[in-house]
Amino acid sequence: MRYSANVSYLIGMDMKYSMQYMLFVLCILLLACPMVSAHDGYDLWMAYSKLDDETILKEYKQAFSSIVIQGQSETLRIIREEVKKGLDGLLGADLPICSTLTTGCSLVIGTPTQSNLMQKLDLSSELVTLGHEGFLIRAIEIDGIPSVVITANEDIGLLYGSFHLLRLMQNGQSLRDANICSRPRIQYRLLNHWDNLNGSVERGYAGRSLWKWNELPETIDPRYRDYARANASVGINGTVVNNVNANPAILTAEYIAKLKALADVFRPYGIKVFVSIRFSSPLRPTSDKNSRRGGIGSLETADPLDPDVRHWWKEKVKEIYQSIPDFGGFLVKANSEGMPGPQDYKRTHADGANMLAEALAPYSGIVMWRAFVYDPEVDPDRAKRAYKEFTPLDGQFNTNVFVQSKNGPIDFQPREPVHPLFGAMPKTPLMLELQITQEYLGHSKHLVFLAPMWKEYLEFDTHAKGQGSHVYRIVDGALHNYSMTGIAGVANTGSDRNWCGHLFGQANWYAFGRLSWDHSLSSESIAEEWIRMTLSRNNDVIKTIKSMMMGSWEACVNYMTPLGLHHIMQEGFHYGPSPDHARGRQDWTSVYYHRADSEGLGFNRSSTGSQATSQYFSPNAERFDNLKTCPEKYLLWFHHVNWDHKMESGRTLWEELCYKYNTGVNYVKEMRRKWDTLEKYIDKDIYLHVQKKLATQEKDAIVWRDTCLNYFQKFSNKPVPVFSDKVIIE
Ligand code: GCV
């Protein structure tokens, strides 16, 4: 009513005033709407803005006068939409989409099952090597017409191939002689969301959860599709939607309906839905809100060998598959940090995992059973506990069970040596769990490019079967001939408009996907692709940003925990430094880990200490065990080292510690300086967003350096050098 009154009032006004009023209303409306700029980061690496290199533009324009896509399916509909959007954007064109080749050079997409053109080409000898997700991109003549084809055995392969082609074009790669066969090296490539059902995200720094559980299943947020699209573009093929500290309600009929709605959105993008379950789900609900125990059932026990419990899980799994026929399976955190598990009933992890595996097997579902356990009863050294609990169980797990292990034996620290479990469970497929969200690496406030860290883990040679037993060969199944292979990344996404909080957080999501598809890619090439697709195509700008990103992880290690220090951050929050933290559970304190005293610093895990070094294969065990041969990056992880110990640089341990902390700070200063030179070349909003984050990062890095050095100085009794501002980039 009020509105129509205003309108009639407007009609009666003279033109001048009505124009003013309309402008006023427009301003109010604009202010009321959330600011959505073209460069707010929402498009991630898929903005497809027009290419400016005339030579490559000319080549692409000649190559593509139309897009021919043969066949029908929801995935093919998505491919049509994506390829059209991509090519039109990149070329500044409006290309026709056809169902058959007419005249002129074209991009031709199809599987031999649905495309007569592909049948004619007979690419069967290539196709047999591609599996169900791989693709072939080839420059080839069809009936004498030069074309570029994307083919695959299944539509999902075509989608991956289409995204790959668009990536090549965004990176200005010539397609004249294109001949690319690609298939993923790892079968299960999942994001793990630590999203709670109340919308909060454990260790999430990018707003609220993406999943609007209270609106599902009726309302489908368009963002679900965009999330699936982003994942598919880098080859991620599954998502565990809820926190491993699982709320049992995820298995109620109400939530299964919501999960079905998500699964329906994700399916055509090749993404399967998985859930984290609480092991005690068959039990009655608990009245204690803070308890991580209790369930949604009515049983008195969750003992995995109890027939009623087994029956409960079989029925539950059946119910899920009735709604979601391609449901992926369960992720389980059991007997860890207060979560219930089979040990509550004196059963083993294998007993627990196998009960679930048996229920899931008829539907080809899997169990991912986490090895993140650290029961103090098992060993006084936390770093040794998971290995001691899990290695005796090797060979006891059903074939559809993964043991999912974090990259290091403590907990996603800025740097850890590789978890000794890798290589030590030849009969059990090990799934590698990485953390994309920066729990211990400056949350979404610090620019830390994680690909170099992940590469360090993947390329570590465990020597499990002699030289060449790299972690990547364990994870991709080559070393132990695993029957299934998997990798997971704890997601850094949230409701923030730019998805990850820090724009550069997107690079980590991107890098995780790219490495999970092909772990042989270099960090440099991933960084370069991402910058070119997200920020700039100017080679000098790319060079500058790449140089910032490439050393950013090492810098963070240096200003937080250099030389093998670990777990000295604020308790719970895991952000700033707190080396003096000494209260509460021992293995949650900082003093337990750094062991500073008047003689020196570090945790003696050598043969004269906790003997954690013995959990590694020879020659790593001996190399880590000996102070003289232990890599300095792990020194204080494995040794308690005298303050006057001479380091490779000739400096003493104390001097080196000071030097490293300051090197980290200097690197951040240098990143700021470099970023400031880019103002002219970067979208203004993004430029300012990153500039502000870098200022915070520098402030924080200084706090880390000064807090830690002032604290350790109390033990070393040596002066802290005066730091020069001279920037050292290593
Ligand atoms: C999801 C660490 C984190 C917890 C996390 C846990 C895990 O302890 O701080 O937030 O819980 O690891 O990985 O289970």
Side-chain angles (χ1 to χ4, degrees), residues 56-211:
I56 202 74
L57 249 182
K58 196 167 154 210
E59 182 202 307
Y60 292 160
K61 281 186 171 165
Q62 275 169 3
F64 303 133
S65 61
S66 70
I67 304 164
V68 180
I69 302 182
Q70 297 192 306
Q72 294 305 326
S73 72
E74 184 52 18
T75 303
L76 281 161
R77 187 197 63 71
I78 291 165
I79 295 172
R80 280 191 183 90
E81 196 178 279
E82 192 70 36
V83 172
K84 166 101 179 120
K85 184 175 175 191
L87 259 58
D88 284 359
L90 291 167
L91 307 188
D94 181 11
L95 295 182
I97 300 232
C98 318
S99 53
T100 189
L101 199 58
T102 45
T103 49
C105 312
S106 297
L107 171 63
V108 184
I109 302 177
T111 59
T113 335
Q114 291 208 61
S115 158
N116 66 328
L117 293 170
M118 293 306 159
Q119 285 157 15
K120 247 204 296 198
L121 285 176
D122 187 19
L123 298 163
S124 46
S125 58
E126 284 84 353
L127 285 164
V128 286
T129 66
L130 295 179
H132 87 105
E133 294 182 312
F135 58 83
L136 169 71
I137 301 178
R138 181 174 287 180
I140 197 168
E141 286 197 357
I142 307 181
D143 296 335
I145 304 171
S147 313
V148 173
V149 300
I150 303 178
T151 190
N153 291 311
E154 294 184 22
D155 292 351
I156 188 61
L158 298 178
L159 183 63
Y160 292 141
S162 301
F163 276 120
H164 193 72
L165 180 98
L166 291 167
R167 180 162 40 242
L168 293 173
M169 293 176 67
Q170 283 169 288
N171 282 281
Q173 302 284 310
S174 171
L175 298 172
R176 269 201 193 107
D177 305 312
N179 189 9
I180 299 163
C181 267
S182 182
R183 62 178 292 175
R185 289 171 190 258
I186 297 172
Q187 196 185 348
Y188 290 91
R189 307 175 299 279
L190 311 190
L191 286 188
N192 285 185
H193 288 270
W194 287 356
D195 293 24
N196 297 312
L197 304 189
N198 66 6
S200 64
V201 182
E202 184 156 349
R203 311 304 173 189
Y205 314 106
R208 306 274 297 164
S209 170
L210 289 173
W211 325 128

Side-chain angles (χ1 to χ4, degrees), residues 369-526:
W369 191 270
R370 293 179 89 225
F372 180 66
V373 294
Y374 54 100
D375 179 355
E377 299 285 307
V378 172
D379 195 282
D381 180 1
R382 173 168 166 185
K384 291 175 68 187
R385 296 171 188 161
Y387 177 99
K388 283 177 84 169
E389 281 206 47
F390 275 87
T391 48
L393 299 176
D394 191 29
Q396 292 183 28
F397 291 95
N398 287 10
T399 50
N400 57 336
V401 177
F402 276 113
V403 166
Q404 178 169 313
S405 170
K406 293 187 182 183
N407 47 255
I410 297 288
D411 185 14
F412 295 136
Q413 294 302 295
R415 172 182 265 134
E416 300 194 25
V418 160
H419 201 307
L421 266 185
F422 288 97
M425 297 197 66
K427 297 187 197 128
T428 313
L430 283 187
M431 188 157 181
L432 171 63
E433 181 177 313
L434 302 170
Q435 196 180 43
I436 313 173
T437 191
Q438 292 168 231
E439 176 180 354
Y440 296 98
L441 289 127
H443 296 187
S444 62
K445 296 190 173 156
H446 294 196
L447 189 170
V448 185
F449 180 47
L450 299 176
M453 169 167 84
W454 297 331
K455 288 292 284 188
E456 183 170 292
Y457 292 117
L458 287 163
E459 286 176 358
F460 178 79
D461 191 348
T462 64
H463 287 268
K465 281 174 106 181
Q467 199 172 7
S469 306
H470 300 96
V471 170
Y472 65 78
R473 297 195 59 219
I474 295 166
V475 178
D476 73 14
L479 194 72
H480 302 305
N481 252 323
Y482 286 157
S483 55
M484 52 181 197
T485 58
I487 187 165
V490 180
N492 65 348
T493 49
S495 60
D496 277 6
R497 180 74 193 159
N498 76 4
W499 299 90
C500 303
H502 196 312
L503 188 99
F504 277 77
Q506 296 181 358
N508 293 329
W509 180 9
Y510 180 82
F512 170 76
R514 295 288 285 136
L515 283 174
S516 62
W517 182 278
D518 182 359
H519 53 64
S520 76
L521 294 173
S522 71
S523 310
E524 283 90 346
S525 67
I526 296 172

